[in-house]
Amino acid sequence: MGETAEIGAPVRAIIADDHPLVLLAIENLMSGYPNMEVVGRAGDATELFAEVERTGCDLVLMDLYMPSGADGSGIEAVRQFRRRYPNVALVVHALISKRDRIDLIHVAVVTALADESYLGPAVRALIAEATAMQRLDFVRSVLSRRELEVFTQYASGLGVTEIAGRLGRSVKTISAQKCTAMRKLALHSDAELFRFAVEHGVVSEARVEGR
């Protein structure tokens, strides 16, 4: 959660979406969550970054496909946000009101406040349709450097013990980083992990088949 949050204080949220009705719907929904306060709104990435600087917050819920503004849009905006505000919980959505069940917002918020990024079903589908480079960039924006390192080596066919030896970390640490990466990417089995790694350009299909 953001560094400015105090124990017992409401979670301060900023919503970013270029559709006014979506903004209103999400704000009305989130206002019903316990210990939650919407403190800002934005219509593009530039407005979002300015609002975070002006107001400060603990949580941002942003649309993946807002207008670009001066700070980029889509995957680039997500990457810049994570770089600028690593201590702010982030939920990325894509037309939630039309594609994802509205109750998934609460799941996403809880996940993000646990210091993990959340990818809704609509975002997952849109990322799958993007170019290989865009998909890989998005994975890099969701996982930490160490999580991506472990995820890549595991998807390449190395076991947890072997990865621990190569990276000089404990097996427990490597296992935890693998599990965290899978949870962030909503993967529930090794089979899903291997398929996701190939589809998103983390590893080549030949490397997975040769493991």
Side-chain angles (χ1 to χ4, degrees), residues 14-36:
I14 293 176
I15 305 168
D17 196 298
D18 63 310
H19 294 80
L21 291 179
V22 174
L23 273 176
L24 180 61
I26 295 176
E27 182 173 357
N28 287 341
L29 182 71
M30 293 179 67
S31 66
Y33 296 164
N35 207 37
M36 180 75 63

Side-chain angles (χ1 to χ4, degrees), residues 124 151 182 185-200:
R124 290 283 302 275
F151 184 85
M182 292 181 66
L185 297 172
L187 303 174
H188 304 99
S189 67
D190 282 356
E192 288 187 7
L193 182 154
F194 295 131
R195 183 168 58 251
F196 181 95
V198 171
E199 291 175 349
H200 290 74

Side-chain angles (χ1 to χ4, degrees), residues 41-149:
R41 301 155 200 81
D44 61 35
T46 298
E47 289 182 10
L48 171 60
F49 295 149
E51 191 69 9
V52 174
E53 291 290 341
R54 183 183 70 83
T55 308
C57 64
D58 309 302
L59 168 74
V60 162
L61 193 150
M62 67 181 290
D63 179 17
L64 183 64
Y65 287 109
M66 292 185 297
S68 62
D71 292 280
S73 62
I75 294 171
E76 177 59 29
V78 172
R79 183 164 52 238
Q80 287 200 43
F81 187 92
R82 298 309 301 161
R83 184 165 57 246
R84 295 188 194 186
Y85 310 108
N87 295 312
V88 176
L90 177 64
V91 173
V92 179
H93 73 93
L95 302 179
I96 279 182
S97 64
K98 295 180 181 179
R99 297 192 181 190
D100 286 349
R101 300 196 323 269
I102 198 72
D103 60 303
L104 288 178
I105 294 179
H106 187 257
V107 176
V109 167
V110 171
T111 302
L113 291 175
D115 293 326
E116 298 180 6
S117 298
Y118 174 83
L119 284 72
V123 176
R124 290 283 302 275
L126 288 166
I127 292 301
E129 296 169 3
T131 67
M133 185 56 68
Q134 287 175 319
R135 292 196 297 269
L136 181 56
D137 283 346
F138 196 82
V139 173
R140 287 170 174 163
S141 74
V142 171
L143 302 184
S144 70
R145 180 181 60 81
R146 289 196 169 187
E147 289 163 358
L148 179 60
E149 187 177 38

Side-chain angles (χ1 to χ4, degrees), residues 1-18:
M1 192 179 297
E3 294 179 329
T4 55
E6 299 178 1
I7 297 176
V11 173
R12 298 163 302 156
I14 293 176
I15 305 168
D17 196 298
D18 63 310

